[in-house]
Amino acid sequence: MIVKTLPPNSGSIQEDSRNGKTSPGELHIIDVVPEENGTQSLVVQSPRLLAARRDTQTAEPETRYNPLEIAAHYQNRPLQVLGRIFAVLRPTLSFVFGLWSDSKRGIVVKNDRRRAVQLRELLTRLGPAYIKIGQALSTRPDLVPPVYLEELTRLQDQLPPFPNEIAYQFIQEELGAPPQEIYAELSPQPIAAASLGQVYKGKLKTGEEVAVKVQRPDLRERITIDLYILRNLAAWVQKKFKRVRSDLVGILDELGDRIFEEMDYIHEGENAERFFELYGHIKDVYVPKIYWEYTNRRVLTMEWINGTKLTQTAEIRAQGIDARYLIEVGVQCSLRQLLEHGFFHADPHPGNLLATTDGKLAYLDFGMMSEIKPPQRYGLIEAIVHVVNRDFEGLAKDYVKLDFLSPETDLTPIIPAFARVFADAQGATVAELNIKSITDELSALMYEYPFRVPPYYALIIRSLVTLEGIAIFIDPNFKVLSEAYPYVSKRLLTDPAPELRASLQDLLFKDGRFRWNRLENLLKNARNSQDYDFNLVLNQGIEFLSSERGAFIRDKLVDESVNGLDALGKNILHNFTYLLRERVGLTAVNETPAATVEQQQTLEHIKRILNILRETRGFDPVELAPKIAQLLVNPGVQRLGQQVASRFTQKALARVIRQLLASE
């Protein structure tokens, strides 16, 4: 008998990149197939391919979010929809009336734990869609009173579990055997229960500790009816209220896509592997391993992580771990997710971010992921640069590129409005503001002017605001924008993408003049980025300046370099003639004027930039000498040198001719 092995992915079987071994949990025998020569073959496949085959055979339409199919389903069930609407409204209105009644009787509602417990229980009863709203609120200490925050935090992983019997039945249906035959150990009760599933701690027959996630029963039915109602409500609001220009239906559909993907654990496992490939190399970021032999659509088996929630600061501190540092790691990872690869974790609440015992940041739950396309990624980088540098005209144009404003929109009144939003009376830099305050201010601005919110934006803001909420909980003075700008500066200086080169040009030049202070600011911030290196900037900078794409900046830099050399020469000559007249007594020698104020400022900028480069990681005078020798033979560098020498010579000759004519 021949054993055929078909890999989980489309290529050959992948070795486990963490330990260099093929995982024993990646294969699944599904059939015996007769060959043409009479022999038999065992066909071995992963559950991913098994599920794909089942999808093809049974054509399950509910595995993907399809609003038209959902609408067709519920249009014929008006009583079921009305029943759900009343089921949501009745307890919600009762809770709101209770809050109003308490306030009238002088009770401080925000400190009332009884009401906080009622809110948590209400969201739990209303189902997964509303639990996710509560999870988002649980990360906002700047919005939610501490008593309510504590209760809402329990929605992350302390929801009521469903019976073990149902969970065990799902395991058998999905994996083809009872739990006791698959796992060596399985906790008698779930150790965590969240909105879409519950988690057991287990151990494989091969000895690895694992987390086994099992999906809640009747999940699709409960999610789809809420999405149907909310989608119809969004469409009604868009139709009746013309002031609402955002695509609310598109935003709901984007959320629906993500939730349906989250209900498919095969898709979540693939997300985890892709996340590891893209971000697993980042210092102190850890991504758990997926065991594919024990994973299917409603059951996920992944590596068990021993860790502590980031919001449990006392416990983390007791282990000698710096929670603020881990938040910095999370911010840097999020920047790469949003601005570099575009594949990002859209649900980074505290239950999904753990501090491991060895001081790393572990990501969990890869069900709700999303993607942002390159044009939006570059647009976001440009917007951050323009915000930090208070270039509000550029920011207004960024909003056009990002589809918040139509190209025909008159930006004249919007530019000063941006200036008002980002004005800070206390004189702090924009980087010291937080995303929540900026979002709130922009929301008011978007209502006043013809903005529209594109669907992709909602999940980005959810991700950033949630992460910032955790950061504020750990350190109230944490500023995400301030932490982000070094990375953005590094990207501007090193990324060869034409969009970012154009943004760099716009940043460094205004009305044809070179803005040295902007270059200083970029270099200062970029050197604080973890993966910024002097040699990288030097090599890529030379490559860009010597190419056709860098012609504009090259010409302007040549002019500025000539001005700097001219100023240096003037100062040297001025000091020399002064010495001859005042110290030696040669009064026949005319004292040469020093550099102008503008030339002197250029010279000071160049000196400061040289100091910044000397203090940058990777700068080593010993290693720099051979690199300079290599650069000198570079045709692009030789062209630059020839241009500088030629223009400097022309300038010197022109000055000599002027002086001769003046003396005559």
Side-chain angles (χ1 to χ4, degrees), residues 265-285:
Y265 288 168
I266 293 175
H267 188 78
E268 179 176 345
E270 291 171 333
N271 285 342
E273 289 190 338
R274 185 179 175 193
F275 194 90
F276 172 75
E277 290 169 4
L278 294 176
Y279 314 114
H281 67 281
I282 297 175
K283 187 174 183 290
D284 293 328
V285 166

Side-chain angles (χ1 to χ4, degrees), residues 11-28:
S12 58
I13 292 179
Q14 301 294 318
E15 288 191 345
D16 183 357
S17 58
R18 300 157 201 260
N19 54 27
K21 298 178 181 178
T22 303
S23 169
E26 292 183 354
L27 307 178
H28 197 85

Side-chain angles (χ1 to χ4, degrees), residues 508-548:
L508 295 180
F509 295 94
K510 187 172 184 180
D511 301 327
R513 295 182 61 81
F514 190 83
R515 298 191 281 189
W516 286 100
N517 59 321
R518 293 290 172 86
L519 181 58
E520 282 184 52
N521 190 27
L522 276 177
L523 291 170
K524 280 181 183 176
N525 281 283
R527 69 184 181 187
N528 294 325
S529 181
Q530 291 179 355
D531 52 357
Y532 180 79
D533 187 83
F534 173 81
N535 296 317
L536 177 69
V537 177
L538 182 63
N539 294 332
Q540 293 193 349
I542 293 296
E543 184 274 329
F544 173 66
L545 288 175
S546 59
S547 68
E548 291 184 10

Side-chain angles (χ1 to χ4, degrees), residues 559-584:
D559 289 340
E560 294 295 332
S561 301
V562 168
N563 287 336
L565 288 172
D566 189 33
L568 185 62
K570 280 186 175 182
N571 285 342
I572 292 172
L573 194 57
H574 169 74
N575 293 335
F576 180 68
T577 54
Y578 174 81
L579 183 66
L580 289 177
R581 283 178 60 85
E582 301 299 326
R583 300 292 176 87
V584 181

Side-chain angles (χ1 to χ4, degrees), residues 84 87-88 91-92 116-135 151-162 193-196 216 219 222 226:
R84 179 58 181 166
V88 172
T92 302
V117 171
Q118 286 179 358
L119 176 60
R120 172 178 56 78
E121 292 175 345
L122 170 64
L123 294 173
T124 301
R125 287 198 305 275
L126 292 181
Y130 298 90
I131 290 171
K132 289 205 167 288
I133 294 173
Q135 289 175 344
E151 287 298 321
L152 291 178
T153 300
R154 298 181 63 185
L155 294 174
Q156 294 162 8
D157 54 13
Q158 298 179 46
L159 293 170
F162 59 91
S195 56
L196 303 187
R216 287 184 177 276
L219 192 56
R222 302 181 70 185
D226 283 337

Side-chain angles (χ1 to χ4, degrees), residues 485-500:
Y485 197 58
Y487 169 78
V488 172
S489 299
K490 189 268 299 186
R491 284 289 301 278
L492 276 176
L493 289 169
T494 60
D495 197 307
E499 295 90 343
L500 294 189

